[in-house]
Structure formats: structure tokens, C-alpha cells
């Protein structure tokens, strides 16, 4: 028996886009960066920096997703716990809309490719029945939701380039430039040689 019904399949979960703070957490405002910006061949340093700064703020300020941003339903579980688990609604179904404005556009794109994504409601659905306790399953589901969103935010952002890597890239570019210079000089000598063998006056 459900204590709270899940939204109907045809319904898209729309939440207030202006609420970025609450008694539970204050969300840093998501930058206007898309997945295409971060996954292009040469993403700009400014874009990467802005995304990293936002991610650091999110990790610092948000430790869990406040309950006003998701809906919870309960059902009888088939998980561990013997016969008693089938008599109580201990299974948790947690649904969170993807179109919150505190979720960056690039992360929304990643979440929509997740196996937990439900297209009909544009939401993430987390199911949990690993514990006998309803409260434990709810806590586990909330942790999974937070982890999923955090990974979607972090995974597309390119990792910082280490100093050693920067040095190797610089050395590689230096060698490539030297090789191009040698090849250019070689071609120049070949052209000069061809000119020397060209026609001349008859004596």
C-alpha cells in the first residue's frame, strides 16, 4: 500500500525554479554552461574554471538533497528481512525532477542518459529496499540520489592539468616546432637545388 502516490506517468515534475535556498541547504547558482561547452575538443579555460568553482561550492554547501526537491512513495518490499518485510511498506521509491535550475545544464544532460531516468516525467527514480527499515531505505535512497547528481555534475568537467603534464606538453610542442623548422629548411634547400639545375646561357 502506498502512503504517498507516485506522480502519474504523463506528468512532468516541475518545481519552483527560483528557490535556491532553504533551511536545509543553499544551492550555488548554476552557471550557463552546457555539456557541449565542456566536451568540445578545446573547451575554454574560463568555462572549465567556472564549472570547477561551481562544483567546489556545491560540494561545500550541499551535503544532501532537501526533501522539497523530491517525492517519496513506499511499497511492500521483496528484499531481506523475512516475512515481516512483506507486511510493511519498507521499500522506498524516490523521484527527483531533472529540470531544477540548481542542477547545471551539463549535468541535466548527463542525468537524462542515466538508467535511473524516467522520460515520461523528466525525473530520476531511485528505488531502495536493501534494509528492513523504511527510514534506513529512505536514507539510502537520498544518499544514492545525491551521489548520482554529484557524479553527473563532476564527470564532464575536465581534470586539472598537472605541472608535470604541462611540462611534457610544452616539451612536445618544442620538439614538434624544431622538427617543422628542419623540414622547412630541407624543402628550401631542395628548391634552391632545382633552381641551380635550371636553364642557363649557351656559350
Amino acid at each position: 500500500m502506498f502512503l504517498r502516490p507516485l506522480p502519474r506517468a504523463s506528468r512532468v515534475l516541475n518545481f519552483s525554479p527560483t528557490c535556491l535556498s532553504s533551511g536545509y541547504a543553499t544551492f550555488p547558482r548554476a552557471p550557463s554552461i552546457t555539456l557541449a561547452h565542456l566536451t568540445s575538443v578545446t573547451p575554454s579555460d574560463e568555462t572549465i574554471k567556472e564549472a570547477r568553482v561551481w562544483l567546489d561550492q556545491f560540494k561545500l554547501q550541499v551535503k544532501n538533497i532537501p526533501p522539497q526537491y523530491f517525492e517519496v512513495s513506499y511499497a511492500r518490499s521483496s528484499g531481506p528481512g523475512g516475512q515481516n518485510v512483506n507486511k510493511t511498506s519498507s521499500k522506498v521509491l524516490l523521484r527527483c525532477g531533472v529540470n531544477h535550475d540548481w542542477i547545471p545544464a551539463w549535468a541535466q544532460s548527463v542525468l537524462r542518459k542515466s538508467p535511473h531516468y524516467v522520460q515520461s516525467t523528466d525525473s530520476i527514480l531511485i528505488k531502495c529496499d536493501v534494509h528492513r527499515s523504511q527510514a534506513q531505505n529512505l536514507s539510502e535512497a537520498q544518499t544514492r540520489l545525491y551521489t548520482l547528481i554529484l557524479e553527473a555534475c563532476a564527470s564532464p568537467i575536465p581534470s586539472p592539468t598537472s605541472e608535470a603534464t604541462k611540462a611534457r606538453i610544452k616539451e612536445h610542442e618544442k620538439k614538434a616546432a624544431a622538427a617543422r623548422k628542419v623540414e622547412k629548411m630541407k624543402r628550401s634547400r631542395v628548391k634552391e637545388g632545382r633552381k641551380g639545375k635550371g636553364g642557363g646561357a649557351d656559350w
Side-chain angles (χ1 to χ4, degrees):
M1 177 179 179
F2 289 93
L3 300 184
R4 290 180 60 190
L6 283 169
R8 296 177 60 184
S10 60
R11 174 184 165 203
V12 175
L13 297 182
N14 291 309
F15 297 85
S16 172
T18 59
C19 184
L20 292 182
S21 64
S22 69
Y24 300 93
T26 300
F27 294 102
R29 187 171 296 277
S32 301
I33 299 174
T34 66
L35 185 61
H37 289 145
L38 293 173
T39 57
S40 64
V41 178
T42 55
S44 70
D45 293 338
E46 292 78 9
T47 295
I48 295 174
K49 181 179 179 180
E50 186 179 6
R52 287 180 187 155
V53 168
W54 179 89
L55 181 62
D56 290 340
Q57 291 178 341
F58 184 84
K59 289 179 179 178
L60 181 65
Q61 297 174 210
V62 183
K63 301 303 180 183
N64 55 64
I65 307 302
Q68 69 263 38
Y69 293 113
F70 58 79
E71 294 187 358
V72 181
S73 296
Y74 303 95
R76 291 182 180 179
S77 174
S78 58
Q83 293 182 349
N84 181 64
V85 78
N86 294 319
K87 298 178 181 178
T88 60
S89 299
S90 58
K91 181 178 181 178
V92 170
L93 298 95
L94 187 153
R95 196 186 298 269
C96 177
V98 173
N99 62 337
H100 292 296
D101 68 339
W102 52 266
I103 301 178
W106 77 80
Q108 292 185 18
S109 298
V110 174
L111 289 171
R112 289 188 175 103
K113 297 177 182 178
S114 167
H116 298 284
Y117 177 67
V118 181
Q119 184 177 9
S120 60
T121 54
D122 192 29
S123 64
I124 292 296
L125 177 62
I126 304 293
K127 302 176 183 179
C128 184
D129 61 353
V130 296
H131 304 288
R132 295 184 63 181
S133 165
Q134 185 185 95
Q136 286 179 300
N137 283 329
L138 177 58
S139 178
E140 177 75 19
Q142 287 179 267
T143 299
R144 292 181 185 180
L145 175 65
Y146 175 80
T147 301
L148 183 67
I149 292 176
L150 185 61
E151 289 178 351
C153 293
S155 60
I157 303 176
S159 301
T161 305
S162 67
E163 292 302 320
T165 301
K166 289 179 181 179
R168 287 196 298 270
I169 293 174
K170 188 174 181 179
E171 183 64 22
H172 176 75
E173 291 175 344
K174 184 178 179 181
K175 290 180 178 179
R180 287 194 298 269
K181 184 177 180 180
V182 170
E183 183 64 25
K184 185 177 180 180
M185 292 175 64
K186 184 187 293 186
R187 289 197 301 269
S188 180
R189 286 195 297 268
V190 170
K191 289 180 180 180
E192 290 296 329
R194 289 174 179 171
K195 288 180 181 179
K197 294 178 182 180
D202 293 329
W203 301 94

